[in-house]
Amino acid sequence: MPEPQHQSHPQPRRIDLHTHSNVSDGTETPADLVASAVAAGLDVVGLTDHDTTEGWAEARRAAEVQGIQLVPGIELTARQGWTSVHVLGYGFDPQAASLLELNATAQRERLERARTMVERLAADYPISWESVAHEAHGVIGRPHIADALVNAGVVPDRSAAFQDILRPDSQYYVAHAAPTPLTVVMAIAEAGGATVLAHPAGRTRPLDEPVLAELVNAGLAGLEVWHRDNTAAGREWLLGLVNRWNLVATGSSDYHGMGKPNRLGENLTSESMFERLARRAGFPAFP
Ligand code: AMP
Ligand code: FE
Ligand code: FE
Ligand code: ZN
């Protein structure tokens, strides 16, 4: 009997392509995150820490031992005018000069901005730079300031901090410089990878269609359609764009461990969309 060409999977694989470890603002180590992904019944998990690839090695080792497929990725912070834009990258060379430069700059900007925010906050709340830095294990962000506020008893949890003290319109908020999404999409393309816009129809003003078209022309592969931050109307709009421009539509949890209510696998990416993304990013979908 000839061997079947493709051993088809008994059930559709459960694919979640957007999660964070404590190397950025998640609460679990990369290895623990991988264990959580196994426990959640995932077959494929993407690690997409903010502005860093430092978690890849540990996650890879854990994934190999625990028998789950890891897709190493990143979520890069960009800004277009007043709109904050998050760009997910997959299948790129983390040592590419374009990437190293973007990450180094982002991390420097984040540090400086966190210091200024903490200076402002320390005038009114019992937190210090040390108490905030203690919460960060890699790339720092507002969630670590939130953790220090929680530890000081100022707020009950991260979400409460974000609803009030850490909001962009708060007197304590400081913005940090960020590249445009076009720069980020081109940098990941140059590093041999593919990009997907994270939660593109969420709480902040979405990008205009002409800007999105420009990103698609520059190589943007997909849109994260199924994400809890996208509004229902926003998802419909995104699906229209996916059809019009033949894009990859992904679904993901944006899991941050205990740092956010998002649960692993709450949104999934279909096998066929994942195969298309993998082809665009140049890695085997199901090795
Ligand atoms: P930053 O990049 O420093 O401006 O912080 C933004 C990060 O805070 C995002 O990546 C989110 O993961 C996180 N975040 C935003 N809103 C919340 C929330 N309500 N609760 C917990 N974390 C949040
Ligand atoms: Fe985050
Ligand atoms: Fe994001
Ligand atoms: Zn994220």
Side-chain angles (χ1 to χ4, degrees):
M1 274 247 292
E3 285 286 300
Q5 284 254 305
H6 295 283
Q7 188 79 45
S8 84
H9 214 66
Q11 267 159 6
R13 293 174 182 80
R14 290 167 50 80
I15 304 166
D16 185 340
L17 294 175
H18 180 172
T19 73
H20 299 265
S21 77
N22 71 355
V23 169
S24 66
D25 59 357
T27 59
E28 296 172 345
T29 64
D32 287 345
L33 167 68
V34 166
S36 296
V38 172
L42 296 182
D43 299 285
V44 179
V45 63
L47 174 66
T48 53
D49 276 312
H50 297 282
D51 304 311
T52 181
T53 59
E54 290 295 315
W56 286 14
E58 180 183 327
R60 273 209 179 101
R61 282 192 298 274
E64 206 161 297
V65 171
Q66 303 190 43
I68 185 172
Q69 186 181 337
L70 177 80
V71 178
I74 196 166
E75 182 173 20
L76 289 159
T77 310
R79 184 172 300 114
Q80 181 86 34
W82 291 106
T83 305
S84 169
V85 181
H86 288 180
V87 182
L88 297 162
Y90 302 100
F92 56 90
D93 171 11
Q95 298 305 325
S98 58
L99 244 291
L100 293 176
E101 166 89 30
L102 276 187
N103 287 347
T105 307
Q107 291 171 24
R108 205 169 49 237
E109 290 287 337
R110 280 175 165 283
L111 195 60
E112 199 172 310
R113 173 268 206 143
R115 280 185 178 279
T116 310
M117 281 190 72
V118 172
E119 247 167 58
R120 292 186 185 181
L121 285 159
D124 294 333
Y125 299 104
I127 63 165
S128 63
W129 175 248
E130 287 67 36
S131 72
V132 173
H134 178 75
E135 299 302 322
H137 302 89
V139 174
I140 198 162
R142 278 181 289 161
H144 305 108
I145 303 177
D147 291 344
L149 290 165
V150 173
N151 291 340
V154 176
V155 287
D157 54 27
R158 276 188 181 182
S159 294
F162 272 89
Q163 269 156 33
D164 180 16
I165 301 172
L166 299 179
R167 288 163 58 113
D169 56 359
S170 134
Q171 64 186 113
Y172 306 107
Y173 183 84
V174 177
H176 61 87
T180 64
L182 183 61
T183 300
V184 170
V185 166
M186 286 175 19
I188 297 275
E190 202 178 303
T195 42
V196 172
L197 273 196
H199 42 78
R203 290 159 300 204
T204 55
R205 190 174 175 279
L207 290 176
D208 297 330
E209 288 189 15
V211 177
L212 290 169
E214 191 182 17
L215 296 180
V216 170
N217 284 334
L220 180 74
L223 300 173
E224 190 179 54
V225 174
W226 296 281
H227 182 292
R228 67 158 63 204
D229 288 359
N230 290 333
T231 62
R235 280 194 284 272
E236 291 309 309
W237 170 62
L238 293 172
L239 281 173
L241 298 179
V242 163
N243 287 331
R244 194 187 320 161
W245 292 329
N246 195 27
L247 301 175
V248 175
T250 66
S252 299
S253 66
D254 203 355
Y255 177 71
H256 282 68
M258 293 298 109
K260 266 184 157 180
N262 310 36
R263 295 297 90 194
L264 280 166
E266 68 175 28
N267 287 293
L268 296 168
T269 298
S270 74
E271 289 186 346
S272 61
M273 285 296 181
F274 179 58
E275 278 169 343
R276 282 180 52 190
L277 179 64
R279 212 172 305 132
R280 289 289 300 269
F283 64 85
F286 302 116

